[in-house]
Amino acid sequence: MILELDCGNSFIKWRVLEANARSVVGEGVVDSDLALLDDLKTLKGLALKFCRLVSVRTADETSELTALLKASFNVSAVCAVPAREMSGVRNGYEDFERLGLDRWLAMLGGFHLAAGACLVLDFGTAVTADFVARDGGHLGGFICPGMPLMRNQLRTHTRKIRYGDRAAERALESLIPGRTTVEAVERGCLLMLQGFVLTQLELARSYWGKEFVVFLTGGDAALVSGIVPEARVVPDLVFVGLAMACPLS
């Protein structure tokens, strides 16, 4: 079996594949290394032979995780690394090693699936947009706060903004002007997010007209999918790129 990990700033997304990489045995999202181990140990018949991961965490944090995996399952992890060019995509950063690996892998996956120009929008703790031309050239991208960062900043710096996750979910059932603080904050943040997306679409059209594919990925992709009906929602886009960057053979 194959363990794949996407280690973000706040969460670890994981999935286990059969040895042929065609079917998913289990998957989930956890907030710590130990929670990951607990989840994996609940899988019946787990027999890990390979592990590949992408991490935007520090080298020490990533090493601690790979050591835990080795001790718990006797599996060695192969980590994705930066590259100037891979699978037809050319890294567009002036210093290619500074481009986030999760963004890089999402671009690899998007370009592979689109077989041409694409706009990759990833909605996590932060929101990223990346533009890949039809010849594989990465034109650059944008980073802005995602919903978790926006709401947490308001909660942190405004004393009277206090509410729970369930109240936040209910507030997003409509986008009319809010009549409570939670409605005003959640709907305002979502409208900012949607405005960001629409701006990226306008820019992509200025480059390529209608000849490009939009990919939505990340935990909050569903929040904007309604305003981009033509987009392809691919929750595991980073894993598509991870398989390309870390082949098993």
Side-chain angles (χ1 to χ4, degrees), residues 17-214:
L17 307 176
E18 289 286 6
N20 59 14
R22 293 179 181 175
S23 59
V24 177
V25 175
E27 59 187 343
V29 179
V30 294
D31 59 4
S32 70
D33 295 357
L34 294 179
L36 171 64
L37 297 185
D38 289 341
D39 273 13
L40 291 174
K41 289 175 181 177
T42 65
L43 293 179
K44 294 182 179 179
L46 182 67
L48 296 179
K49 297 297 183 183
F50 305 98
C51 174
R52 53 193 175 201
L53 67 83
V54 54
S55 175
V56 297
R57 300 181 172 193
T58 66
D60 287 344
E61 290 172 326
T62 303
S63 294
E64 288 175 6
L65 174 57
T66 57
L68 277 174
L69 293 171
K70 180 66 174 178
S72 300
F73 303 105
N74 194 31
V75 63
S76 299
V78 178
C79 301
V81 296
R84 291 188 184 277
E85 184 171 354
M86 182 177 289
S87 300
V89 181
R90 300 187 304 281
N91 194 315
Y93 259 31
E94 293 179 1
D95 180 354
F96 76 94
E97 294 182 331
R98 300 290 293 176
L99 176 66
L101 277 171
D102 52 347
R103 289 172 62 193
W104 174 240
L105 296 185
M107 283 190 284
L108 294 182
F111 185 72
H112 170 71
L113 295 177
C118 60
L119 167 62
V120 179
L121 299 168
D122 192 341
F123 300 89
T125 303
V127 174
T128 60
D130 283 289
F131 299 78
V132 183
R134 60 177 58 90
D135 66 354
H138 173 219
L139 306 183
F142 299 96
I143 304 173
C144 74
M147 287 290 286
L149 281 179
M150 286 192 282
R151 71 164 63 95
N152 287 341
Q153 283 298 302
L154 285 169
R155 285 173 172 173
T156 300
H157 296 289
T158 308
R159 291 183 180 179
K160 292 186 178 181
I161 296 180
R162 295 290 184 272
Y163 55 84
D165 293 339
R166 179 62 189 129
E169 291 176 10
R170 289 196 301 268
L172 292 177
E173 293 172 357
S174 168
L175 282 181
I176 64 174
R179 301 187 65 178
T180 64
T181 299
V182 61
E183 290 177 353
V185 169
E186 291 296 314
R187 294 172 189 178
C189 289
L190 179 54
L191 288 172
M192 290 186 69
L193 194 63
Q194 291 181 347
F196 175 82
V197 171
L198 294 174
T199 300
Q200 306 313 301
L201 291 172
E202 290 178 6
L203 184 55
R205 292 183 187 116
S206 74
Y207 288 144
W208 307 308
K210 296 182 179 180
E211 301 300 318
F212 67 98
V213 178
V214 183

